[in-house]
Amino acid sequence: MTTTELIAARADQTGAEATFDTQSALRFITCGSVDDGKSTLIGRLLVDSKAVLQDHLAGVTRSGETDLALLTDGLQAEREQGITIDVAYRYFSTEARKFIIGDAPGHEQYTRNMVTAASQADAAVVLVDATKLDWRNDQLALLPQTRRHALLAHLLRVPSIVFAVNKLDAVEDAELAFAHIRGALARFAQAAGIQVRGTVPVSALKGWNVVEPHPGWAGYDGDSLLQLLERLPVTPREVDLPLAFPVQWVEKPSADGAAASAGAAVSGEHGRRVFWGRVAAGQVLPGATVQVQPGGRTAVVAQVLDHARRPANVAAGHSAGIVLDRELDVSRGDWIVATAAAGAPAPAAPDDFAFDDETAGPTAAWPATRTLSTTIAWLDDEPLLPGRVYWALHGHRWVKAKVQRIVERVDIHTLAAEAATQLDANAIGHVELALQEAIPAAPFTQSRTLGALILVDSASQRTAGAVLVR
């Protein structure tokens, strides 16, 4: 099978027919607007699955009543003081599996935190507050934040999306409300092309359908939210793709020729630098011919070390140290990728952002490019405008990126594409970028690591946008 066929086959392996791992820990995020009950839901999951220590539980109990939200709101004070809180993670397990919850703030201005958490998640639970909706109307409109979170999770290729309709215990007719809200969610999901794993009515406050099912309530007799989560698959690692390895750290040899602090496996045999990082795609094997990007220099892998510095073959998702058969100028941020054929890099273009040719493309299994057609979730208060230049982070590599053109943006209410000349905060749009240097980017549908970047404002140093390669 050729490299192209291999990548195409991997891209097709996103349907239900793919074989998924349901035994590993599930990493999921909870999304929702402020006061939708997100903290209470997480607290309920932790308490009812017995993941909270008694002394911790006693600390959030007042007059015999447990304030579940306090279990996850401990960082709120720090957030209000301006201390950066990216994503708080909680861990718990049941007899069936382990879980990692990514708890991002619900405020609209913290959408970037939600994007950060979603980019690595196996599943997203989008919380819907029934009391905020016109639940008696069978054609009710969803809240913008519900649409935004579901759409972002979909764009970030979170494999499983679940809607949890909360606070149904606070409405007069829970069954009618759930039927209308579920209908609105289904219409939205169908229009957006979102495959929903389940829609569950829950009362995080009372615990109904969160951990234990509450048969018949709200006209629902299905699984509880936790039972549904226990069966969701984790994202398959990109093992069957060509090798892509972002260099995170270069370990230099000591004066006696051994790699600094390296074990015997490295020092005696080669005495060369060790390039450390986490394999993004494929496997790294001794004897494989690889290419270093940028530049297109080729080498052969002389030795591979695992995280414990033992000689091994290392697959995607695991840390590795690579020793090459020759000394090349490799730095943090460079990529070591599989090589399809030998070749020489093209000459550099005279203008920083003008280009006539790709560099090192024909010889790489992951061709490097300087032009990107992207979907961007814009997170900065300053709008995205054509002509502006940002720092882009791809793997561990920083490269300048210039906004060439804003093709269109998505109306999160109608999901229709509309003409645009700029993207405001929290907008999502189709944008063309030009990079100062070529990077081995690939469509996000093929590789989550190679197809994702972030944009950082060079002046404020704020994370400005989440970028997915189309």
Side-chain angles (χ1 to χ4, degrees):
M1 181 178 290
T2 66
T3 299
T4 302
E5 291 171 338
L6 194 59
I7 295 174
R10 175 62 178 77
D12 291 339
Q13 196 183 16
T14 55
E17 71 278 6
T19 300
F20 291 118
D21 178 9
T22 56
Q23 300 303 314
S24 303
L26 183 80
R27 183 186 294 263
F28 71 96
I29 62 168
T30 53
C31 316
S33 302
V34 180
D35 298 329
D36 278 358
K38 186 164 56 67
S39 297
T40 302
L41 177 69
I42 296 174
R44 176 63 65 187
L45 281 169
L46 297 176
V47 170
D48 287 6
S49 62
K50 299 179 174 52
V52 180
L53 298 176
Q54 286 300 318
D55 57 344
H56 191 188
L57 195 59
V60 298
T61 300
R62 304 285 186 274
S63 303
E65 295 291 332
T66 301
D67 189 339
L68 297 171
L70 292 179
L71 290 170
T72 57
D73 279 355
L75 300 178
Q76 182 176 353
E78 295 181 20
R79 193 157 60 228
E80 291 173 347
Q81 293 172 27
I83 301 173
T84 301
I85 302 296
D86 287 330
V87 181
Y89 288 97
R90 300 291 189 275
Y91 306 87
F92 74 102
S93 63
T94 66
E95 293 182 357
R97 82 183 315 175
K98 298 177 181 177
F99 297 94
I100 303 172
I101 310 176
D103 178 19
H107 297 72
E108 184 173 330
Q109 63 266 37
Y110 291 113
T111 300
R112 59 180 175 271
N113 305 63
M114 178 264 170
V115 170
T116 300
S119 64
Q120 300 297 322
D122 302 307
V125 177
V126 181
L127 207 61
V128 180
D129 185 345
T131 63
K132 293 181 180 177
L133 300 174
D134 182 15
W135 56 268
R136 293 182 178 84
N137 182 359
D138 62 356
Q139 297 297 317
L140 63 89
L142 300 172
L143 295 178
Q145 195 73 329
T146 300
R147 291 171 167 270
R148 181 178 292 111
H149 284 161
L151 194 55
L152 281 171
H154 177 59
L155 289 172
L156 290 164
R157 294 292 188 272
V158 177
S160 299
I161 296 176
V162 176
F163 289 115
V165 184
N166 192 27
K167 300 186 182 181
L168 282 166
D169 57 295
V171 301
E172 295 175 9
D173 190 337
E175 184 171 349
L176 180 68
F178 179 61
H180 288 172
I181 295 171
R182 181 167 58 181
L185 291 168
R187 290 192 295 275
F188 165 72
Q190 183 178 17
I194 300 173
Q195 291 188 346
V196 180
R197 291 280 182 172
T199 302
V200 184
V202 300
S203 170
L205 185 64
K206 299 180 181 298
W208 297 345
N209 280 337
V210 177
V211 171
E212 298 295 334
H214 198 67
W217 178 63
Y220 178 82
D221 287 307
D223 292 332
S224 70
L225 179 62
L226 183 62
Q227 289 174 327
L228 187 60
L229 293 173
E230 285 178 336
R231 294 202 308 274
L232 294 182
V234 299
T235 307
R237 290 172 176 161
E238 299 167 352
V239 176
D240 52 350
L241 293 174
L243 172 66
F245 179 85
V247 178
Q248 184 176 7
W249 176 48
V250 179
E251 182 179 307
K252 298 179 180 178
S254 61
D256 61 0
S261 68
V266 178
S267 58
E269 190 171 347
H270 298 287
R272 295 195 180 95
R273 294 179 299 164
V274 186
F275 308 111
W276 290 97
R278 176 171 293 182
V279 181
Q283 302 182 60
V284 56
L285 311 170
T289 301
V290 295
Q291 185 183 81
V292 178
Q293 294 181 354
R297 296 142 297 177
T298 59
V300 175
V301 176
Q303 192 170 18
V304 181
L305 306 174
D306 67 7
H307 67 283
R309 313 188 71 87
R310 297 169 300 201
N313 300 333
V314 181
H318 298 278
S319 298
I322 297 178
V323 180
L324 301 179
D325 69 335
R326 67 202 68 181
E327 290 293 355
L328 297 179
D329 182 17
V330 181
S331 305
R332 171 184 167 86
D334 290 352
W335 286 80
I336 297 175
V337 300
T339 303
D351 187 280
D352 279 351
F353 290 100
F355 37 85
D356 298 323
D357 200 353
E358 307 293 354
T359 60
T363 64
W366 297 104
T369 181
R370 294 179 59 190
T371 60
L372 295 178
S373 178
T374 68
T375 296
I376 292 183
W378 194 243
L379 312 173
D380 200 1
D381 294 333
E382 293 292 326
L384 177 72
L385 296 169
R388 289 206 59 180
V389 177
Y390 296 88
W391 281 109
L393 178 62
H394 181 243
H396 303 293
R397 183 166 191 79
W398 291 97
V399 57
K400 286 188 176 179
K402 184 176 182 180
V403 181
Q404 291 290 81
R405 187 166 74 102
I406 298 173
V407 181
E408 60 192 19
R409 69 183 171 200
V410 176
D411 185 324
I412 64 166
H413 300 284
T414 65
L415 303 178
E418 57 186 26
T421 57
Q422 67 179 48
L423 291 185
D424 296 317
N426 295 308
I428 300 169
H430 178 187
V431 179
E432 294 178 350
L433 298 176
L435 306 179
Q436 194 174 36
E437 298 177 281
I439 59 173
F444 192 78
T445 52
Q446 296 173 357
S447 171
R448 278 182 129 185
T449 304
L450 290 157
L453 302 88
I454 62 169
L455 294 183
V456 175
D457 188 295
S458 57
S460 66
Q461 301 298 311
R462 289 196 301 265
T463 302
V467 182
L468 309 179
V469 180
R470 296 167 72 95

